[in-house]
Amino acid sequence: MPSLRGRCLPLRAKSSMTAASGLYAHVRRLLFLLPPEAAHHIALLGLRAWGQFPGSGLQKPNGDDDDLGSPVRKMGLAFPNRVGLAAGLDKDAVAVRGLARLGFGFVEVGTVTPLPQSGNPKPRLFRSVPDAALINRMGFNSAGLDAMTRRLARLRKRPLRPMLGVNIGKNRDTPLDRAVDDYHACLTAVAPFADYVTVNLSSPNTPGLRRLQAASSAAELLGRLDDARSATEEHRDQRLPLAVKVAPDLGEQELREVADVLRQTNMDAVIAGNTTLSRPMSLASGFAREEGGLSGAPLAPLARQTVTTLRASVPANFPVIGVGGIASPEDAEAMLDAGADLVQIYTGLVFGGPSLVRQIMRL
């Protein structure tokens, strides 16, 4: 399996990461005094402001920054390194450049829906520091396609931008039998700006959405998106890769069926997985009773098992992107050992801080 390691960082780089970790401990103490969603909003504002400074530190497409992991080619794309940001942190693409400065090889924004929607009632995001975990029932809160594409158009005009994925979904009020219309609208709108597009069929917080993962439903929806993708490529220099994000709560047989559908519909990657509705016994009791999807450290074993099952169910050259419970270099290494080609983080960043990306990429 691919490895993130191979040599030691210079002493100066190690010292910088240690100092950054220490600084974030103080910042986190203040942020964690706030409700989780308020803290999230403030963090995004800070990242957005940081991205406006000159000398942004964005990684070039050939990945020639020696302080990061080796570049890798997947989905026909040249990733500067194997570590990406999972969708959900920057839903409306407001802080892409600031996030890229953390060292990510790729940044995934969204989930975006065709029309703006506020999501579920607040409170809808919960943290447990002892569990190093979050539970969310956000419900695809989104500023909508128009707002996102305006931001992505401005981003495209900048000299450098990160490898960018856009995660797409359906509006809550769209019936399941019309869901493909929402996904089609999103795909068409973001295609000029995205390096790849992720079809999110696995959020637990939009009623009925996960039913679209069933083999028959997924085959029809993804087949139509494959046709729609072909139409978008007339204005691109290369194929637009499509990834599909699946839930870690699917059983082994269901995952194998999904894998068959991915091959039949010409998808380019699978992201395994999303948050889980399961609740490990180790969780703090009050926290565990909250409804929504669980992410963070308790998800790690289930996420790795999902990756292992999918890796065994798809061809060797079919990319599997592992996400869930990655909070350290050791966690990232374990995900690669389970069969992932690339990894994504989100909750680990909340608890570990911005230096986590480069800690994972220490070589």
Side-chain angles (χ1 to χ4, degrees):
M1 294 298 172
S3 176
L4 292 169
R5 304 173 187 233
R7 56 182 172 81
C8 293
L9 278 176
L11 180 60
R12 184 175 62 181
K14 290 182 178 179
S15 300
S16 297
M17 289 194 303
T18 301
S21 298
L23 175 62
Y24 182 68
H26 296 291
V27 173
R28 192 184 85 164
R29 191 174 299 115
L30 295 175
L31 287 174
F32 280 17
L33 294 175
L34 301 171
E37 193 165 348
H40 184 176
H41 179 66
I42 289 172
L44 273 182
L45 287 177
L47 286 163
R48 181 179 184 180
W50 193 31
Q52 302 305 311
F53 283 100
S56 66
L58 296 179
Q59 301 310 307
K60 297 179 180 179
N62 64 3
D64 59 1
D65 185 339
D66 290 337
D67 287 341
L68 295 177
S70 301
V72 61
R73 192 166 187 85
K74 298 293 176 183
M75 296 190 282
L77 302 172
F79 291 87
N81 64 68
R82 297 180 188 272
V83 182
L85 176 73
L89 194 149
D90 190 0
K91 290 177 177 290
D92 296 313
V94 300
V96 174
R97 289 176 65 86
L99 286 161
R101 292 189 68 179
L102 303 184
F104 285 111
F106 56 111
V107 170
E108 187 169 313
V109 298
T111 299
V112 63
T113 56
L115 299 176
Q117 60 181 28
S118 58
N120 291 324
K122 299 178 182 180
R124 55 194 180 179
L125 181 61
F126 308 87
R127 79 167 79 89
S128 173
V129 175
D131 295 306
L134 299 174
I135 289 175
N136 91 83
R137 49 176 181 261
M138 303 297 288
F140 282 176
N141 53 307
S142 172
L145 267 179
D146 288 346
M148 176 173 280
T149 53
R150 285 197 300 270
R151 293 190 180 102
L152 296 183
R154 290 194 297 269
L155 185 66
R156 187 173 62 173
K157 296 177 182 178
R158 304 293 289 269
L160 287 174
R161 69 165 178 80
M163 185 72 70
L164 183 68
V166 180
N167 188 298
I168 62 175
K170 82 171 192 73
N171 280 112
R172 181 186 181 94
D173 294 336
T174 301
L176 284 185
D177 60 2
R178 298 295 302 274
V180 68
D181 297 335
D182 280 14
Y183 285 100
H184 185 287
C186 289
L187 174 62
T188 302
V190 305
F193 313 108
D195 292 300
Y196 72 91
V197 172
T198 296
V199 183
N200 189 347
L201 303 181
S202 53
S203 170
N205 300 313
T206 295
L209 185 75
R210 286 190 169 189
R211 295 208 294 270
L212 296 176
Q213 296 175 116
S216 58
S217 298
E220 179 180 357
L221 187 149
L222 297 178
R224 289 184 60 181
L225 291 183
D226 181 37
D227 292 338
R229 179 244 307 267
S230 300
T232 71
E233 291 171 350
E234 296 178 5
H235 306 291
R236 295 175 56 92
D237 296 332
Q238 59 183 13
R239 174 184 174 88
L240 174 63
L242 292 181
V244 179
K245 189 163 186 170
V246 300
D249 299 322
L250 294 175
E252 289 191 12
Q253 181 58 34
E254 292 172 305
L255 287 170
R256 287 192 287 268
E257 291 173 357
V258 167
D260 288 340
V261 170
L262 298 180
R263 294 196 302 271
Q264 295 164 8
T265 54
N266 299 313
M267 296 296 104
D268 298 278
V270 60
I271 299 180
N274 209 316
T275 58
T276 178
L277 291 173
S278 66
R279 297 290 188 267
M281 294 294 293
S282 60
L283 290 182
S285 59
F287 177 68
R289 286 194 293 270
E290 293 293 347
E291 294 182 0
L294 171 71
S295 63
L299 176 57
L302 181 59
R304 289 195 294 267
Q305 182 56 53
T306 303
V307 166
T308 297
T309 300
L310 284 168
R311 178 75 280 162
S313 305
V314 296
N317 63 350
F318 190 90
V320 176
I321 302 173
V323 55
I326 298 175
S328 69
E330 293 74 22
D331 292 334
E333 197 76 33
M335 188 65 84
L336 294 181
D337 289 343
D341 299 287
L342 305 168
V343 298
Q344 291 180 323
I345 63 174
Y346 173 178
T347 304
L349 193 67
V350 172
F351 288 94
S355 65
L356 176 63
V357 183
R358 293 181 188 270
Q359 288 173 19
I360 290 175
M361 294 313 304
R362 70 176 185 237
L363 300 177

